[in-house]
Amino acid sequence: MHIPVLLQEVIEGLALTAGLTVLDATINGAGHSAEISKRIPGGCLIGLDRDRTALAKARQRLQNAPCRVILKQGNFRHLDQILDTLQIVSFDRCLFDLGLSSDQLAESGRGFSFLKDEPLTMTYEVEPVTITARTIVNESSAADLELTLKEYGEEPFATSIARAIVAARKKKKIETTKELVAIIRSAVPAWYRSARRRKHFATQTFQALRIAVNDEFRALTEGLNHGWRYLAPGGRLAVISFHSGEARIVKKIFPDHRKIKPTRTEIKNNPRARSAVLRLIQKS
Ligand SMILES: C[S@@+](CC[C@H](N)C(=O)[O-])C[C@H]1O[C@@H](n2cnc3c(N)ncnc32)[C@H](O)[C@@H]1O
C-alpha cells in the first residue's frame, strides 16, 4: 500500500477550504487526494495520472468524497489540452507528487523494480505510448546509454555499465529486469555491490531508465508551466520531488518557494520519504 509522503505538510501548506477547486496532477491511488477532498466540501477535485490502473483505485477511494471529483488519464505535460477539454479555466490549488508510487513499484508488472523479474517496460501508461526500457537498452548507442545513466541516474559507473549492456545485447536481446540486473552486477566493483551499502547497485540505472522512458524532466517542465498558468491569483502550488534533477527544474521555474523536508519520524515509518522535498509556491 502506498503511503502518501509529507501528507500533513501538503494539507497545511495548501490552506484548503470549502468550495475550492484543486488539481492533483499525479493522483495515483488518491493517498493525498482522499484527505484533500475532505477539506474542500462543495468544491471540485480534478485528478490526473498517466496510469489507468492507479486511477481505478483513486475512483474507488473517492466515491464518498464531499466534493465533485473528475478523474482523467493523461500526461501533465498536456495539462493545457486536458483542462481545455474539461472546460476548466482555472483552479485554486495544485499538487505534483513526482515519480512512481510504491504500488507501481511492487505490483505493476512493468519492470520498475530491480528486485523482481519482469519485462523491461517502465512506462507509466499501461499500454506504452512511448518507447520502453527494452528499446533503450537494446537500441541506444553506448554513448547515449552512458549519458542517460549519468544525467538521469548520476550513476558513477555509467561508462562500464553502458559498455556491459552493449556487449551483452550482442549475444542476446535484453528482455527482463533480472537480465539487466545481472549485467549491471558484472560491470560494477565488489564494494558497490556490497549488501552493506544503503543503495542497491542497480538503483541508479533503473531510475535513469525510468526517467528516460517517460521523458520525465521535460514533462515536468511543461507540466509546471501549464499548472502555473491555470492557477488562480492567490492560488497555491505544491511539488514533492525525490531527485536532484527534479528539484533543479522546480527551483528554476519557482526560485521563490518555501521548502519543507520530512521529519525523522516520517522517514522511519516510510523510507520512501527519505529523499522527498516539498516546495510550496503562492501566486500573487
Ligand atoms: C508518487 S505517485 C503519486 C502518489 C499520490 N500522491 C498518493 O499519495 O497516492 C506519482 C504518480 O504520478 C504519475 N505520473 C508520473 N508522471 C506523470 C505525468 N507526466 N503525468 C501524469 N501522471 C504522472 C505516476 O503514474 C504515479 O501514479
Side-chain angles (χ1 to χ4, degrees), residues 43-136:
C44 179
L45 172 71
I46 309 153
L48 182 72
D49 205 290
R50 284 177 86 166
D51 189 335
R52 195 162 44 74
T53 54
L55 281 180
K57 288 186 193 169
R59 187 161 291 117
Q60 201 180 9
R61 192 140 180 213
L62 294 166
Q63 55 188 342
N64 296 321
C67 60
R68 188 172 164 220
V69 175
I70 303 171
L71 296 177
K72 190 96 185 118
Q73 191 275 333
N75 189 327
F76 55 58
R77 79 188 305 169
H78 307 307
L79 193 58
D80 52 345
Q81 293 160 31
I82 294 169
L83 291 171
D84 289 353
T85 312
L86 295 171
Q87 297 186 311
I88 288 163
V89 293
S90 73
F91 43 76
D92 307 295
R93 306 287 187 266
C94 176
L95 170 66
F96 287 78
D97 177 18
L98 303 175
L100 80 168
S101 73
S102 312
D103 295 351
Q104 286 167 323
L105 194 66
E107 57 192 51
S108 75
R110 275 173 266 155
F112 289 120
S113 170
F114 44 77
L115 299 174
K116 305 209 152 213
D117 192 16
E118 294 175 346
L120 272 173
T121 315
M122 295 200 197
T123 57
Y124 289 123
E125 276 94 0
V126 181
E127 295 89 16
V129 291
T130 52
I131 51 161
T132 64
R134 193 162 155 262
T135 331
I136 296 185

